[in-house]
Amino acid sequence: MKHFHLRYLAVAALLVMGTTAWAQSKVFLTREISPASLVRIYKALGVKAQGRVAVKISTGEGSNPNYLKPELIKDLVYDVDGTIVENNTAYGGDPNDVRNNSANHWKVIDRHGFTKYFPVDIMDEYDEIRIPVRDHTHLNYDIVGGHLANYDFMICLNHFKGHPMGGYGGALKNLSIGCASSNGKAYIHSAGKMNKLNMDSLWTPKYIGDQDGFLESMAAAAQAVVNYFQKENGIIYISVMNNMSIDCDCVDHPAPVKLEDYGILASTDPVALDQACVDIINNQKVTAKNDPTDLLKRIDKQHGTHTIDWAEKIGLGSKKYTIVNIDK
């Protein structure tokens, strides 16, 4: 009886902490990619966006055609009365296309059609703030756009695809690099070595030679943003698996898309969501119209799944998940 009582207390303690050893995160799925299905999967999560709602997306580099189009996301943004939020980048390029300063960034945002439909906020246009990190392996803080403080709730709306440095881009990248100011991007990419952007120096082995440190810094910065909004009104994550090049929306001229569109996934756990998207790519069969080979090689070359592993290790979420198909 005494041993039974001790076991009961151990299980009860786990329940008090809000989880159990057997818990799995829910990842909702629809194979339909449409404005209506984006609203439907948001509502399936059962978490209402409240207060001043930031919808974090990538508005895309100037000549990149793969970003999430305003026409696709507009019903969701209208439903939550949201503001599209972005930050400036940390690299050079064609001044007509690059987004490393607000003047050029606004031109690209306008050209891509976002200002036609929504209020848009470049969060680091005027200032930046530092928010706490829990994982101090590489970072002492996270540097985000100052306007982040203007919002109570975030919808992290991700375009899942490849990425030249991270291997893949999903929720964790959108939370970390996406929410970081230009200086914050330098800080994350350099794994804590540079906290004030110097483009001439940043993209050299001295600052970007620690690949796993960069990936771990992304996970830490993602956790900082999640913790920030969990203390406010909340945060949710939605990933659209369409136009999946091996290159990110931040690449001006991305490699051709070789994968067919798959669907939309959503979760309250960003780790589970990214893991589910990677698993879907891993399970794709090679056909004449659908070939995951290049994307899988990109993820493997950049050790991309280490971001997910580290995010789970520091307590951001779980790689264990259950798919809930809302089409059934």
Side-chain angles (χ1 to χ4, degrees), residues 109-182:
I109 289 170
D110 186 61
R111 195 187 334 149
H112 284 179
F114 290 94
T115 52
K116 176 182 176 182
Y117 296 101
F118 318 116
V120 180
D121 183 3
I122 299 176
M123 292 193 291
D124 66 337
E125 183 168 15
Y126 302 109
D127 58 4
E128 63 190 19
I129 56 174
R130 295 179 178 184
I131 60 175
V133 294
R134 285 173 56 188
D135 172 30
H136 291 270
T137 305
H138 306 283
L139 306 181
N140 294 318
Y141 41 76
D142 186 24
I143 313 172
V144 297
H147 292 180
L148 190 80
N150 295 339
Y151 300 98
D152 308 305
F153 190 100
M154 176 172 279
I155 297 178
C156 185
L157 181 54
N158 324 295
H159 176 213
F160 186 87
K161 68 285 177 189
H163 190 274
M165 296 189 70
Y168 81 94
L172 296 174
K173 176 184 176 292
N174 199 15
L175 287 164
S176 57
I177 296 294
C179 291
S181 66
S182 291

Side-chain angles (χ1 to χ4, degrees), residues 154-219:
M154 176 172 279
I155 297 178
C156 185
L157 181 54
N158 324 295
H159 176 213
F160 186 87
K161 68 285 177 189
H163 190 274
M165 296 189 70
Y168 81 94
L172 296 174
K173 176 184 176 292
N174 199 15
L175 287 164
S176 57
I177 296 294
C179 291
S181 66
S182 291
N183 290 327
K185 289 175 171 64
Y187 194 47
I188 295 166
H189 273 288
S190 67
K193 298 183 183 74
M194 178 187 288
N195 64 8
K196 188 170 180 60
L197 175 62
N198 182 327
M199 280 191 284
D200 293 333
S201 301
L202 174 60
W203 308 109
T204 63
K206 176 181 178 180
Y207 289 103
I208 60 166
D210 182 1
Q211 177 65 8
D212 278 1
F214 159 54
L215 302 175
E216 291 162 8
S217 297
M218 278 208 294

Side-chain angles (χ1 to χ4, degrees), residues 19 29 77 105 124-125 197 292:
T19 186
L29 166 69
V77 180
H105 201 161
D124 66 337
E125 183 168 15
L197 175 62

Side-chain angles (χ1 to χ4, degrees), residues 230-245:
Q230 284 176 339
K231 290 176 182 175
E232 301 295 324
N233 286 352
I235 183 167
I236 57 173
Y237 319 93
I238 303 173
S239 290
V240 182
M241 299 185 74
N242 71 344
N243 299 321
M244 291 180 283
S245 168

